[in-house]
Amino acid sequence: MSTRIAIIGAGSGYMPGVIRGLLHRAADLRGVELSFYDPDGDHLALMARLATAMFAARDADLTVVAHTDLKAALDGASCVFTTFRPGGMTARHLDESIPLSYGVVGQETAGPGGFLMACRSVPVLLEIARLADPGAWIVNYTNPTSIVTDAVARHTDAKIIGLCDQYIGDTEMWADLLGLPFDRLEADWIGLNHATWATRLRLDGTELDLTSALDGLEIPDGGATPWRDPSRMASLAKALGLLPNSYAKYYFFHDQVVGELRDKGTTRAQDILAMLPAYYSQIAAEAAKREPDPNRDRGGGEHGEFAIDVICALLRDERRRFIVNTRNDGAISSLDADATVEVPALVGRSGPVPLVMGPLPGSVRGLTQAIQSYERLAADAAATGSRRTALQALMAHPFIRNKETAEQILHDGLAAHAAYLPQF
Ligand code: G6P
Ligand code: MN
């Protein structure tokens, strides 16, 4: 039987990028059958049409079968790629606005917003882990990817690897800021997803002196976008003595960000909701063409290529180096051995083998350990539906400074998302 890859969440707006990623490895994936699944039948059919047309335009030997039944989609798949958001952007709007109403950063993955998303995502992932073929690899993009990966790793027997392409974009941002060529630069990002740090940088394989690079770094003025905030990043790097991940601003500029999010007036989810109809109609128009060229407004960059490269490394035993979310096993000595960490690893048939990285830098060690405590509690709460564990998770989060705030956010969040939270 030919190799089968299931894509769960195949109606996602990120699919055009995933299809591009499949095309970029089409020669290595010859004969593979793709099982697309999404509960949204219209978006599922659209992406199946788009993929089929894009494969035909490039003579790629890949076939697509669309399923509306999860079990059927998973059947026979040796790799299950998960990329979905239960509740869509409407639920994300609540994740972003409920914490903010209590003076806490409202963000889809960081802080209590990410906690609420984890509570919706984890039960679906546990179900997938239960239904998938034993031995199948789950390659997970569903956010918050570290908590989801941790819940599956510690609450099921399934094999899972968690992905986030943020480190690629962040390495590019730092290459720009430090005036270095991105394509020759490699950084060892270590920590937890969306809370990683780099102190080791190599140019063409030769280690750079980060301290002197940071001493010479000028803090640029402005230029902030939702994903790039060069001025804050540069000032933070100089203060911490390392390169921080883009999400570090939520920890180190928490109160300013709360003010900015309030002043902005709309959530990121609302902004995306406003652009989605035009986005999907452009894709529908392209899917009908002989040579579709869907827009790159969502999940552009390396998003799809990265995921498909990791899948190829697993299926073809390539032992390639990627930064992924996996069981620590001592790679980062400052974090628990059984924690899910984000770390450079060699990925082959038997999964990711994390590379030994030593301790976290002192300037962020305590913070990262606190986030790790929170994530473990969050994964356990999302998997079991324990309200006490849920409250402990929120009380352990560095954004939250009062028990009452944790209680209020938990109360509002569980009520608002009740339809997606069978475990509570
Ligand atoms: C980055 C993060 C992802 C996150 C995405 C959200 O790429 O690494 O984890 O899902 O941003 O982007 P959006 O355009 O939906 O705000
Ligand atoms: Mn991410």
Side-chain angles (χ1 to χ4, degrees):
M1 198 190 72
S2 66
T3 302
R4 189 171 294 170
I5 300 173
I7 302 186
I8 309 304
S12 155
Y14 282 92
M15 272 311 279
V18 174
I19 298 166
R20 284 195 186 94
L22 288 160
L23 276 174
H24 123 103
R25 298 300 301 269
D28 297 318
L29 294 170
R30 259 192 307 272
V32 165
E33 185 183 299
L34 300 157
S35 287
F36 280 19
Y37 169 82
D38 201 287
D40 180 331
D42 291 341
H43 284 165
L44 172 67
L46 169 61
M47 295 303 174
R49 272 200 320 277
L50 178 71
T52 304
M54 287 175 74
F55 296 156
R58 296 266 299 273
D59 273 330
D61 180 13
L62 291 164
T63 48
V64 178
V65 183
H67 293 276
T68 47
D69 178 64
L70 180 60
K71 174 113 186 64
L74 294 169
D75 193 39
S78 50
C79 177
V80 179
F81 177 43
T82 45
T83 173
F84 55 81
R85 179 191 302 275
M89 290 293 155
T90 313
R92 175 172 172 178
H93 168 69
L94 298 167
D95 295 341
E96 292 172 334
S97 49
I98 292 170
L100 201 56
S101 67
Y102 294 104
V104 175
V105 159
Q107 214 284 325
E108 57 148 3
T109 63
F115 171 79
L116 296 175
M117 182 163 169
C119 290
R120 299 195 306 283
S121 298
V122 165
V124 185
L125 256 298
L126 296 181
E127 171 79 351
I128 290 168
R130 192 174 67 75
L131 294 175
D133 283 12
W137 271 102
I138 301 176
V139 176
N140 176 66
Y141 248 143
T142 293
N143 267 329
T145 194
S146 52
I147 300 175
V148 164
T149 302
D150 191 53
V152 171
R154 289 188 305 102
H155 290 269
T156 79
D157 293 328
K159 299 189 287 187
I160 185 163
I161 176 167
L163 301 188
C164 169
D165 60 350
Q166 190 69 39
Y167 81 90
I168 302 170
D170 280 350
T171 304
E172 194 173 358
M173 171 182 72
W174 284 110
D176 284 355
L177 283 169
L178 296 170
L180 297 166
F182 167 58
D183 53 338
R184 292 163 50 199
L185 197 65
E186 189 171 59
D188 289 340
W189 291 100
I190 64 168
L192 303 165
N193 179 241
H194 294 181
T196 50
W197 324 95
T199 55
R200 277 189 300 267
L201 264 186
R202 288 174 299 280
L203 187 65
D204 297 327
T206 304
E207 182 113 12
L208 295 176
D209 179 355
L210 185 63
T211 309
S212 57
L214 290 178
D215 286 344
L217 175 64
E218 301 218 355
I219 299 177
D221 247 359
T225 66
W227 294 114
R228 299 234 160 147
D229 201 338
S231 165
R232 278 183 179 150
M233 286 297 108
S235 76
L236 203 49
K238 288 169 88 79
L240 295 172
L242 46 73
L243 303 184
N245 180 294
S246 297
Y247 285 71
K249 73 171 181 182
Y250 298 117
Y251 297 93
F252 291 99
F253 299 88
H254 179 274
D255 298 353
Q256 292 98 311
V257 171
V258 165
E260 288 160 11
L261 291 172
R262 284 187 162 154
D263 291 347
K264 186 171 166 288
T266 56
T267 59
R268 173 83 182 141
Q270 287 175 313
D271 300 343
I272 295 168
L273 273 172
M275 59 86 84
L276 280 183
Y279 176 77
Y280 274 105
S281 39
Q282 193 270 356
I283 293 172
E286 290 298 317
K289 295 183 182 168
R290 278 181 76 89
E291 301 215 358
D293 184 17
N295 68 61
R296 290 163 197 257
D297 297 350
R298 308 273 310 133
E302 295 290 299
H303 183 85
E305 282 84 353
F306 170 55
I308 303 304
D309 281 342
V310 172
I311 290 173
C312 283
L314 278 169
L315 295 178
R316 293 158 42 83
D317 199 24
E318 291 172 353
R319 299 171 203 208
R320 263 180 84 178
R321 183 186 190 279
F322 297 100
I323 296 180
V324 298
N325 290 264
T326 189
R327 191 184 146 101
N328 184 20
D329 273 335
I332 303 173
S333 55
S334 320
L335 299 174
D336 292 347
D338 65 345
T340 296
V341 298
E342 192 164 298
V343 68
L346 292 180
V347 181
R349 193 180 305 286
S350 55
V353 179
L355 304 175
V356 174
M357 290 285 135
L360 288 163
S363 58
V364 294
R365 189 175 304 155
L367 171 63
T368 316
Q369 287 169 337
I371 302 171
Q372 193 222 300
S373 300
Y374 149 75
E375 290 195 344
R376 175 183 298 262
L377 291 162
D380 289 344
T384 63
S386 158
R387 280 176 190 256
R388 187 209 302 262
T389 311
L391 182 63
Q392 288 175 356
L394 291 180
M395 287 168 61
H397 197 282
F399 289 179
I400 294 184
R401 288 181 281 247
N402 301 296
K403 172 170 166 284
E404 192 187 5
T405 307
E407 286 166 339
Q408 287 165 323
I409 295 174
L410 185 62
H411 171 270
D412 291 7
L414 295 186
H417 292 302
Y420 298 96
L421 305 177
Q423 76 276 41
F424 280 98

